[in-house]
Amino acid sequence: MTTDTVSPKDRIIVALDVPHVDEARALIKKLGDSVGVFKIGLELIYAGGLALAEELAKDGHRVFLDAKLLDIEATVERATAAIAKTGAHFLTVHATDRKTLNAAVRGRGDSALKLLGVTVLTNLDRSDLSEQGIDMPPLALVQERARLSQDAGFDGIVASGKEAAALHERLRNFLIVTPGIRQAGTDVQDQTRVVTPTIAVQSGADYLVIGRPITRADDPRAAAQEIAEEIAGAIEAG
Ligand code: C5P
């Protein structure tokens, strides 16, 4: 699997982090075809986002359902099967253990749904892991869970730009989806470990998850186009 043939704009996943579907619809309209994928996360999922996902998929858009599933196997399997029916393109699942990952793979069946493992949430540090009884630095756990995800038949993982380079070297034919993107010299807001679109691409990110730099811009479409140009430049520079 490779994103070599995916156009720069189609490598942008825009995070629709808004509380109401009406606001999401307004944003989608403004963005038009300037981005490749619309990400619907937990906030919007619980506010009519699933119906919106289905509607967008029917209209030919790519939808990223950031549902971060984790439960007993039967539940993960059935939830994944239900999500596959919406026509979503990507789904996130916590990559904590083989049982969860295998259940998601069974639930996807022969649908086109791409499964992405959430390895270690980037807000957790070593002391948070130790609270969970895990005595290992976050990056080592990220690498272990990424390998588990690939072994189970997942399509990729979500990883910060800082982790992407280390993962890219070890995992071939595996998608790396990177959030925490900020253009050079812009406001990082509450993100701490940010990378620029150029660095993300150079580190091996296949898709870039971008929220506020696009959604809060005066002209979201122009902001997306500017980022797509930066991605194109980074790809060209190799
Ligand atoms: O607005 P911003 O570009 O910071 O949004 C980033 C998006 O990526 C949000 O939807 C956030 O939930 C998501 N995300 C993240 N960091 C992670 C995983 C997901 O910021 N480690």
Side-chain angles (χ1 to χ4, degrees), residues 15-17 39 66 68 120-123 158-160 179-182 188-191 209-213 215:
L16 298 173
D17 293 327
K39 180 168 97 70
D66 197 5
K68 294 192 174 71
V120 179
L121 293 173
T122 46
N123 61 334
V158 181
S160 77
I181 307 288
R182 291 294 180 272
V188 300
Q189 285 127 345
D190 56 355
Q191 294 279 15
V209 176
I210 306 173
R212 290 161 291 180
T215 59

Side-chain angles (χ1 to χ4, degrees), residues 117-155:
V118 176
T119 52
V120 179
L121 293 173
T122 46
N123 61 334
L124 302 180
D125 59 22
R126 191 162 184 165
S127 67
D128 298 308
L129 294 183
S130 131
E131 212 170 76
Q132 294 176 30
I134 301 169
D135 181 25
M136 156 186 304
L139 181 61
L141 187 58
V142 166
Q143 286 174 322
E144 195 173 299
R145 289 180 172 171
R147 248 192 319 272
L148 262 188
S149 305
Q150 191 169 39
D151 287 352
F154 266 46
D155 300 281

Side-chain angles (χ1 to χ4, degrees), residues 52-97:
L52 177 67
E54 212 163 344
E55 190 184 305
L56 288 171
K58 271 204 189 92
D59 287 346
H61 296 290
R62 285 193 164 182
V63 176
F64 181 121
L65 261 187
D66 197 5
K68 294 192 174 71
L69 297 183
L70 178 60
D71 210 311
I72 60 166
E73 289 140 280
T75 305
V76 169
E77 182 175 340
R78 288 200 296 258
T80 305
I83 288 166
K85 280 194 196 133
T86 66
H89 190 72
F90 292 109
L91 167 68
T92 52
V93 177
H94 279 289
T96 51
D97 60 279

